Amino acid sequence: MQIKTIKTQAFSDQKPGTSGLRKKVSVFQQPHYLENFVQSIFDTLIVPENAVLTLGGDGRFYNREAIQVIIKMAAANGFVKVIVGQGGILSTPAASHIIRQHQTFGGIILSASHNPGGPDKDFGIKYNTANGGPAPEKITEAIFENSKVIQCYKKAEIVNIDLDVLGETVLEGCAVTIIDSVHGYADLMEGMFDFAAIRALLTDGFQFKFDAMHAVTGPYAKAIFLDRLGAPADSLMNCEVTEDFGGGHPDPNLTYAHDLVDIVYGMQAPDFGAASDGDGDRNMILGKAFFVTPSDSLAIIAANAHLIPAYKQGIVGVARSMPTSGAVDRVAAKMGIDCYETPTGWKFFGNLMDAGKVTLCGEESFGTGSNHVREKDGLWAVLCWLNIIAVRKQSVEKIVKAHWAEYGRNVYSRHDYEAIPTVKADRVIARLRHQFDTWIGQGFGNYQVKACDDFAYSDPVDGSVSVSQGIRILFTDGSRIVFRLSGTGTRGATIRIYLEAYDPDVANHHLDAQQALKELVDIALRLSDLIAITGQTQPTVIT
Ligand code: G1P
Ligand code: ZN
């Protein structure tokens, strides 16, 4: 195999965010841009002998081209084998599973998650380590440092591989294996859940709708829900993967999953609706005209985990990101298990799972998962709900309301202010940081401030410390307001305000979350002075 060393010049903007490097496709299409980043990844790793790389992506525009480049670079950088999902397709959780199942050295996943795809939209690349999870900060920082000083990269002079044909191509020094993208993952799911009970539910009149949003979970949903669980074909919508995700924004929330939301809130509402995002790690759960917040979903899965075969022996602990509501904390307290509060981003859960401290974890941003992989997992969450419904034989709404009656309700919403000029967004956060000390003990309307801080986390496993993870205003009744800046946006800055009102007595209260949170919204806007500083009077997205 001929290996070519190609001279290059460093780019200054290759700092990976919470989930890898995300940029416009046109940025990635610049000569050497992708190659520089990939070489910076490989230069960060000490690739041992016989190392295998897992490779795949969510099928968005530029996926196939990038895969060919990465195969050639992996071969030139000492990997003896590259395992690639057929057609270049691997959902993020499936890639995590393959890394673990085949014990590969690591994996490269091509995705910009829920960001739109297409020639003038976004592309992304992330590196996962041997445990199947996102690379920890010390690795992503090192990749960034390497990217700033890179002078050359290595590429094998080999022909393009046919990504659509299963099987192995043996090149001198490196084999490329194209595997079925879905099979191993579907087997994993079948081993965890009560497929017989779910099959009985789905073939006995229970109406189920799953929306893949034209993204990567389409083929997975067909294999699992249709082929293995016998659901009628019309249970699935938008299940063909297209390079531009049908022109949509594949983010499963009430704003972007409008095709599904219209059906679930319409005249012919099914019993259950669910959607997943671009790369298959996020999920949204809906009942008949009923939305389950991701924070509640995590709490309810935890409380009912014993009904799922994989967790029938119990769960050891749970974790949630700091802005996620405290609903799961109440379940953990009742079960007598530990509950960890981590900074935003899935990578913080990995250490806890590797150390055997937690079984389930989740984020308010439509991410839920368990230690079966080291990524959040959209279809897994859908199967959790189907399994729980199949056993309890109750509607989604009934299960959620019974949960609130038992634990109280953490009424929750997130308000996003997107595309704010970075200086203005920074000013909002700086002002909060500067003032929050003075609010402690003060009363605002019905709420009294118990504590305020800028969240910091010390990892109980490796001792690493992450500071400045979001401003928390904690009230005496268990309610909270949290402010933080997004780490994944590609246009200006996004300010996220997380609002949570604890209601111990749901039976006597209004169910509309925005209504219940109105006073907290007013307090948040007043304390941050967000409208005056940014000039934006309304959030752009409410979830
Ligand atoms: C967002 C979510 C966060 C999630 C991340 C990757 O990050 O808020 O929970 O882990 O996407 O899916 P943010 O843009 O807030 O930094
Ligand atoms: Zn995603």
Side-chain angles (χ1 to χ4, degrees):
M1 186 166 51
Q2 281 269 332
I3 294 174
K4 211 167 160 185
T5 301
I6 299 161
K7 276 210 159 64
T8 186
Q9 277 193 334
F11 295 86
S12 58
D13 65 342
Q14 298 196 320
K15 186 176 172 61
T18 341
S19 6
L21 183 70
R22 280 189 205 168
K23 300 280 173 194
K24 291 273 170 243
V25 166
S26 54
V27 173
F28 273 102
Q29 283 170 327
Q30 297 171 83
H32 312 308
Y33 192 90
L34 173 70
E35 289 85 346
N36 276 16
F37 190 71
V38 172
Q39 188 64 52
S40 302
I41 296 175
F42 292 152
D43 287 347
T44 304
L45 313 171
I46 299 161
V47 179
E49 267 179 47
N50 297 322
V52 180
L53 184 73
T54 298
L55 178 61
D58 63 12
R60 68 180 60 226
F61 186 83
Y62 202 54
N63 193 48
R64 283 173 175 265
E65 289 88 328
I67 284 188
Q68 299 291 357
V69 168
I70 297 168
I71 290 173
K72 290 172 188 162
M73 292 187 64
N77 278 276
F79 284 90
V80 295
K81 185 168 174 171
V82 186
I83 299 178
V84 189
Q86 190 176 20
I89 295 289
L90 282 179
S91 76
T92 288
S96 181
H97 175 56
I98 289 167
I99 294 172
R100 295 166 65 77
Q101 186 191 25
H102 295 263
Q103 298 184 347
T104 72
F105 179 67
I108 291 182
I109 305 173
L110 303 170
S111 171
S113 188
H114 49 282
N115 292 13
D120 55 355
K121 296 295 191 306
D122 294 344
F123 190 73
I125 170 167
K126 55 185 174 179
Y127 181 71
N128 281 28
T129 49
N131 74 344
E137 221 147 44
K138 61 175 188 303
I139 294 185
T140 55
E141 278 302 318
I143 294 171
F144 180 45
E145 292 308 317
N146 283 334
S147 78
K148 291 192 280 193
V149 294
I150 187 168
Q151 293 180 344
C152 56
Y153 59 84
K154 287 192 271 184
K155 209 174 194 175
E157 302 251 277
I158 49 176
V159 293
N160 278 354
I161 302 289
D162 186 340
L163 301 177
D164 297 309
V165 180
L166 295 178
E168 190 159 88
T169 308
V170 182
L171 306 161
E172 196 192 326
C174 182
V176 181
T177 309
I178 308 292
I179 60 160
D180 185 292
S181 313
V182 174
H183 198 82
Y185 176 82
D187 282 350
L188 174 69
M189 293 298 112
E190 189 160 359
M192 295 179 70
F193 294 98
D194 187 344
F195 267 35
I198 301 174
R199 173 179 269 274
L201 177 78
L202 295 181
T203 52
D204 190 26
F206 180 84
Q207 283 166 1
F208 161 72
K209 265 282 187 232
F210 176 78
D211 184 354
M213 303 190 81
H214 303 284
V216 79
T217 49
Y220 294 85
K222 283 184 200 160
I224 294 171
F225 299 126
L226 303 192
D227 302 346
R228 299 201 186 196
L229 289 167
D234 66 359
S235 306
L236 304 188
M237 54 196 279
N238 304 325
C239 276
E240 299 303 326
V241 189
T242 57
E243 289 197 327
D244 67 347
F245 303 138
H249 190 141
D251 199 2
N253 59 43
L254 293 174
T255 306
Y256 293 122
H258 38 77
D259 288 358
L260 177 69
V261 170
D262 288 349
I263 294 172
V264 163
Y265 284 85
M267 301 290 285
Q268 311 281 315
D271 298 300
F272 181 82
S276 192
D277 75 328
D279 63 329
D281 56 359
R282 293 187 175 194
N283 74 91
M284 176 169 66
I285 303 293
L286 300 161
K288 231 182 233 304
F290 191 87
F291 168 66
V292 185
T293 70
S295 298
D296 277 346
S297 177
L298 172 63
I300 290 165
I301 292 171
N304 292 278
H306 59 283
L307 304 178
I308 299 170
Y311 312 108
K312 69 171 186 291
Q313 314 293 358
I315 53 177
V316 293
V318 292
R320 64 163 171 86
S321 67
M322 179 274 282
T324 303
S325 97
V328 75
D329 305 35
R330 295 177 188 277
V331 175
K334 197 158 186 173
M335 290 174 124
I337 56 173
D338 286 333
C339 177
Y340 295 85
E341 185 176 31
T342 61
T344 297
W346 207 259
K347 59 189 169 202
F348 294 96
F349 296 137
N351 271 355
L352 297 171
M353 292 194 284
D354 288 346
K357 290 181 180 297
V358 308
T359 308
L360 302 177
C361 48
E363 295 193 276
E364 52 65 44
S365 52
F366 298 80
T368 332
S370 90
N371 59 358
H372 66 289
V373 288
R374 291 294 180 276
E375 291 275 6
K376 55 197 172 223
D377 190 343
L379 288 170
W380 167 89
V382 177
L383 288 165
C384 283
W385 272 90
L386 289 174
N387 198 143
I388 291 166
I389 294 168
V391 177
R392 287 185 55 157
K393 303 195 190 325
Q394 288 171 326
S395 71
V396 172
E397 180 167 349
K398 196 137 192 204
I399 291 171
V400 175
K401 287 187 171 163
H403 187 90
W404 291 343
E406 185 173 352
Y407 295 92
R409 178 183 179 199
N410 292 69
V411 185
Y412 191 84
S413 182
R414 183 176 104 185
H415 289 200
D416 293 336
Y417 292 76
E418 298 170 308
I420 307 267
T422 308
V423 272
K424 292 186 179 176
D426 289 344
R427 204 176 306 150
V428 171
I429 298 296
R431 185 191 138 92
L432 288 163
R433 200 168 274 146
H434 191 69
Q435 300 201 344
F436 66 61
D437 272 350
T438 64
W439 301 328
I440 300 168
Q442 279 198 51
F444 298 93
N446 289 313
Y447 295 93
Q448 194 186 358
V449 179
K450 185 169 95 185
C452 293
D453 66 4
D454 193 348
F455 181 65
Y457 177 70
S458 165
D459 190 303
V461 181
D462 66 17
S464 61
V465 174
S466 307
V467 296
S468 305
Q469 297 294 323
I471 311 289
R472 299 193 295 183
I473 306 174
L474 310 171
F475 299 98
T476 48
D477 71 340
S479 300
R480 302 188 308 170
I481 301 173
V482 173
F483 293 85
R484 65 176 278 283
L485 295 181
S486 157
T488 59
T490 48
R491 267 183 318 138
T494 296
I495 302 174
R496 304 201 194 283
I497 308 182
Y498 306 85
L499 304 141
E500 176 178 353
Y502 181 63
D503 181 354
D505 180 23
V506 253
N508 293 315
H509 290 118
H510 206 287
L511 285 180
D512 181 72
Q514 298 308 322
Q515 196 111 13
L517 293 167
K518 183 145 188 344
E519 189 176 354
L520 282 179
V521 172
D522 291 342
I523 297 170
L525 293 176
R526 181 172 145 205
L527 294 181
S528 63
D529 209 16
L530 181 143
I531 295 178
I533 296 174
T534 66
Q536 204 159 314
T537 55
Q538 295 287 335
T540 42
V541 178
I542 293 181
T543 49

